[in-house]
Amino acid sequence: MTIRNGGLHNGVAVDSSGRASVFFRCKLEGAADVTLSIDGDLHFYRECHFYGKKNLVVGLARAFFQKCQFYLEKSHPQGKIVFFSQSSHISAYKFGFVFHLCEFYVVNTSETEVETAFIGSSFGNYTFYVIMESYLDPTVTGYFLGTPPNVTYYATFRNVGSGATKANVPQFVHVLGSVEAASHYSLRRFLLGDNWITKAVDYDLDIVE
């Protein structure tokens, strides 16, 4: 299923609020601004494709993205673009975005463009991102746009691709060193996936060796 915002200006393709939502094998296409706006607890996205020019996912939610692909379009050579933004003012590690087995790309770029594509940003004073076993294209050149909030948790684990091996990984990014450490953010533990996700969709509950 494809959901598209065909407008030429700002607008949201999908607004998902509430608790315990599942998107499976969907294609979400944004316009000039937000592709997906989410709010609430227990959001699961599996094998979905996201397209847009800025802020593919925005909101305050506990959300888990698994085997999803994210395509961010760079519409201006000198512009700064970001994949995700959180709007949290809650300093409890309940809400946040976890990405597992995902792929991140920036399209419409050239070798002469300034490196200004970032994974995350924040509209509030708290942010939580975990990226595990995912592919970061060389066009992904930064982890966070701007100065991180005072309360920040940002972790990575076994990511691959040139975008994941930059030498200038910020000091605030935690590099998880073991499956045991990464398992705290598995679908089973972070989203309690074995308790509520329907068996009609595919999912991987655990981080494996």
Side-chain angles (χ1 to χ4, degrees):
M1 180 175 69
T2 298
I3 305 173
R4 178 184 299 114
N5 176 3
L8 297 178
H9 303 291
N10 293 354
V12 176
V14 177
D15 188 345
S16 178
S17 300
R19 189 175 189 276
S21 70
V22 175
F23 284 70
F24 182 49
R25 294 178 179 170
C26 295
K27 183 178 180 181
L28 283 64
E29 298 181 358
D33 201 352
V34 178
T35 299
L36 170 67
S37 176
I38 53 178
D39 178 74
D41 199 9
L42 304 181
H43 292 257
F44 179 54
Y45 300 84
R46 168 79 182 207
E47 297 176 36
C48 293
H49 291 192
F50 297 80
Y51 297 84
K53 294 183 178 180
K54 184 174 65 172
N55 291 327
L56 297 182
V57 182
V58 169
L60 170 59
R62 178 162 50 157
F64 199 102
F65 302 83
Q66 193 171 73
K67 292 191 176 180
C68 293
Q69 295 182 0
F70 300 90
Y71 298 89
L72 191 61
E73 180 180 351
K74 194 164 189 176
S75 57
H76 189 279
Q78 305 302 321
K80 294 181 179 180
I81 56 176
V82 62
F83 282 85
F84 315 108
S85 293
Q86 292 178 3
S87 57
S88 178
H89 293 273
I90 301 173
S91 59
Y93 293 136
K94 176 181 179 181
F95 294 99
F97 299 163
V98 175
F99 304 90
H100 182 218
L101 301 171
C102 292
E103 300 176 20
F104 302 87
Y105 302 93
V106 180
V107 297
N108 291 345
T109 61
S110 69
E111 294 181 357
T112 61
E113 289 186 356
V114 178
E115 297 181 347
T116 52
F118 299 87
I119 291 289
S121 67
S122 177
F123 296 146
N125 53 18
Y126 162 76
T127 188
F128 183 106
Y129 291 97
V130 178
I131 305 173
M132 303 184 294
E133 299 183 317
S134 295
Y135 172 79
L136 278 65
D137 189 71
T139 51
V140 180
T141 57
Y143 281 90
F144 201 86
L145 175 61
T147 302
N150 292 333
V151 182
T152 296
Y153 186 82
Y154 202 133
T156 65
F157 178 66
R158 287 198 316 207
N159 296 315
V160 298
S162 298
T165 57
K166 298 292 182 181
N168 59 341
V169 175
Q171 292 184 350
F172 63 85
V173 174
H174 301 272
V175 180
L176 303 175
S178 67
V179 169
E180 181 181 2
S183 292
H184 289 285
Y185 312 107
S186 66
L187 182 60
R188 182 189 302 275
R189 297 177 67 175
F190 182 75
L191 213 65
L192 307 176
D194 55 333
N195 292 339
W196 65 275
I197 298 176
T198 173
K199 298 296 189 296
V201 305
D202 299 331
Y203 54 81
D204 297 288
L205 286 173
D206 301 304
I207 311 297
V208 299
E209 293 287 354

